[in-house]
Amino acid sequence: ASHRWGTGQMRADVGLTGRWADAGWGPVTWLACVAAQVLIVSIVLATKIPIQNNTDQIREARDNPGYVIPILIVAVVAAPIVEEIVFRGLVQRGLLSVASPVVAVGAQAVLFGSAHVDPARGAGNIGLVMALSGVGAVLGGSSYLLRRLAPNMIAHAIINGVAMAVVLS
């Protein structure tokens, strides 16, 4: 796809570039994600929309290092890289070629939130998708404005790292 419709340089086409300033932009983006989560979860709770977290299985298995160590690596390293490349690098950039930035960021945000649906949570997925769509919107806005994914990868790693620390403590 990069050779046919892009520049031929996949890293550049998906925004997989970084700058030293991203070490600062990552935490700033993380704070914006936290603000979005707090706002949306407050609305979800106030309107009594069902919500469940997506970390219950991790909490139940926290005494098993054979499970915890790999899940930490996946959650804090692999997921931020893969999800940012897929949702902000491929989906959002693809949508930007045919839609306005608002539509592209909004659509990828909803897809990002929806990707975290677990049928076992039932209706509890509604609030979770809403909260994670808000995070996806912030990350999408960041990647659109900064034109690269490194700050998002840092922010995403911090989000997941904090969640893992809370769940495992």
Side-chain angles (χ1 to χ4, degrees):
S2 178
H3 289 291
R4 182 164 181 177
W5 296 293
T7 65
Q9 298 176 347
M10 191 181 89
R11 288 176 52 115
D13 287 342
V14 298
L16 196 55
T17 59
R19 297 183 184 161
W20 284 108
D22 295 341
W25 281 116
V28 168
T29 303
W30 169 70
L31 287 172
C33 289
V34 170
Q37 274 187 313
V38 167
L39 175 66
I40 292 172
V41 169
S42 297
I43 293 168
V44 164
L45 294 174
T47 56
K48 299 188 189 317
I49 294 172
I51 186 169
Q52 287 185 345
N53 67 51
N54 57 351
T55 57
D56 288 336
Q57 295 86 357
I58 298 166
R59 181 175 285 121
E60 294 167 5
R62 68 179 166 203
D63 295 329
N64 181 353
Y67 176 80
V68 171
I69 293 168
I71 199 72
L72 279 172
I73 293 168
V74 168
V76 180
V77 179
I81 293 169
V82 171
E83 290 181 353
E84 292 308 315
I85 290 171
V86 170
F87 291 102
R88 268 59 74 179
L90 296 173
V91 173
Q92 180 172 304
R93 283 175 181 243
L95 289 171
L96 282 168
S97 68
V98 295
S100 72
V102 171
V103 171
V105 169
Q108 71 75 29
V110 172
L111 289 172
F112 175 73
S114 299
H116 293 83
V117 166
D118 177 5
R121 283 189 221 105
N125 283 305
I126 298 169
L128 179 67
V129 167
M130 291 173 66
L132 293 179
S133 293
V135 169
V138 171
L139 293 171
S142 169
S143 69
Y144 176 74
L145 293 173
L146 298 174
R147 304 285 193 250
R148 57 189 184 278
L149 299 179
N152 287 14
M153 290 177 181
I154 293 167
H156 200 142
I158 295 170
I159 292 166
N160 290 1
V162 169
M164 292 293 106
V166 169
V167 168
L168 296 172
S169 64

